[in-house]
Amino acid sequence: MARTWLVLLLILAVAALALMVPRETARAQRLEFASPSDTAFKGSVERVQADLARNVESWRGARDCGSPARARAALKPVLAQWLGRRMTDRPMQRLARWGYHSGEIWHEAQVIEGQPQCRAGFRRVIAFAEFR
């Protein structure tokens, strides 16, 4: 009987240690893109920018949540919609350049029922468009 309690106590101690070990966190690489500048038209440039982080859904997976490819895939539809709206807001202006940059992506790695899982999303991603 004492031996059973000792084994049970040992199992509980190992489980408590496993919960105290910090979870592995990783960051996606810095995401950046800027289209080449359209120099055909000279003149003043109007720059419009916005933080799209709240509009981009977080993504989940078993592994690789911190990959730049996964982050770009989540960003692409929101960015296209935002850029399209900016272009229709300015029908008389020409899009000279657009892009985005982000250095703030959050990432959570955890083990649920013995299976590794992760979740990630943007804290901040700035999209910009320049019109002439």
Side-chain angles (χ1 to χ4, degrees):
M1 186 71 152
R3 191 174 193 178
T4 304
W5 284 104
L6 185 61
V7 170
L8 191 56
L9 184 61
L10 183 61
I11 291 171
L12 287 174
V14 169
L17 282 174
L19 291 175
M20 293 175 65
V21 173
R23 294 180 182 157
E24 178 186 334
T25 58
R27 286 201 174 285
Q29 296 174 2
R30 183 174 173 86
L31 295 178
E32 289 184 85
F33 173 80
S35 67
S37 184
D38 180 3
T39 58
F41 291 96
K42 301 293 181 199
S44 64
V45 174
E46 178 187 351
R47 184 178 174 110
V48 181
Q49 66 182 36
D51 185 353
L52 302 180
R54 291 184 181 207
N55 300 333
V56 179
E57 300 256 344
S58 62
W59 53 94
R60 297 176 182 266
R63 299 187 194 285
D64 203 26
C65 281
S67 87
R70 300 272 312 263
R72 280 188 199 96
L75 174 61
K76 192 183 257 185
V78 174
L79 180 62
Q81 186 179 37
W82 178 84
L83 189 58
R85 273 191 259 134
R86 300 299 75 81
M87 291 175 71
T88 56
D89 290 349
R90 294 162 180 77
M92 303 307 278
Q93 292 180 313
R94 183 172 178 167
L95 180 65
R97 188 171 168 224
W98 66 276
Y100 59 87
H101 58 86
S102 170
E104 299 185 33
I105 297 172
W106 58 269
H107 179 269
E108 291 177 349
Q110 52 189 324
V111 177
I112 298 176
E113 296 179 6
Q115 299 296 321
Q117 295 184 6
C118 62
R119 197 173 108 186
F122 287 101
R123 280 198 180 103
R124 192 172 98 151
V125 59
I126 305 299
F128 70 89
E130 295 175 352
F131 293 91
R132 292 183 199 251

